[in-house]
Amino acid sequence: MTVKDGDSALMSDRAFMEEWCYVWGNYSRDFYQNLSDAELEELYNELNDKVSRSQQTFKK
């Protein structure tokens, strides 16, 4: 299976990551929209790890 530019599933994943980063990060939506896919994914993973760790600490 190949992924084409503008594929709706791919675009929805990016939109989700942008929104998620906007909610948990400290920057504007424009900041996240202007990142490359690789930069957005890296930031998403970093924020996801940070949020996961903070939630685990809270539960203890």
Side-chain angles (χ1 to χ4, degrees), residues 20 24 46-57:
W20 197 93
W24 292 102
E46 288 175 14
L47 285 170
N48 196 20
D49 288 344
K50 182 179 176 183
V51 169
S52 294
R53 282 193 306 274
S54 69
Q55 289 177 345
Q56 288 172 355
T57 302

Side-chain angles (χ1 to χ4, degrees), residues 5-60:
D5 289 340
D7 180 44
S8 61
L10 183 62
M11 295 302 286
S12 64
D13 286 346
R14 179 170 172 96
F16 170 80
M17 285 195 293
E18 287 175 5
E19 188 65 19
W20 197 93
C21 287
Y22 172 71
V23 169
W24 292 102
N26 295 318
Y27 301 102
S28 69
R29 280 190 172 93
D30 289 339
F31 172 81
Y32 299 110
Q33 290 172 349
N34 290 323
L35 294 175
S36 70
D37 289 346
E39 291 169 327
L40 180 63
E41 187 171 354
E42 181 179 348
L43 187 56
Y44 170 81
N45 289 333
E46 288 175 14
L47 285 170
N48 196 20
D49 288 344
K50 182 179 176 183
V51 169
S52 294
R53 282 193 306 274
S54 69
Q55 289 177 345
Q56 288 172 355
T57 302
F58 181 72
K59 289 179 183 178
K60 290 182 180 181

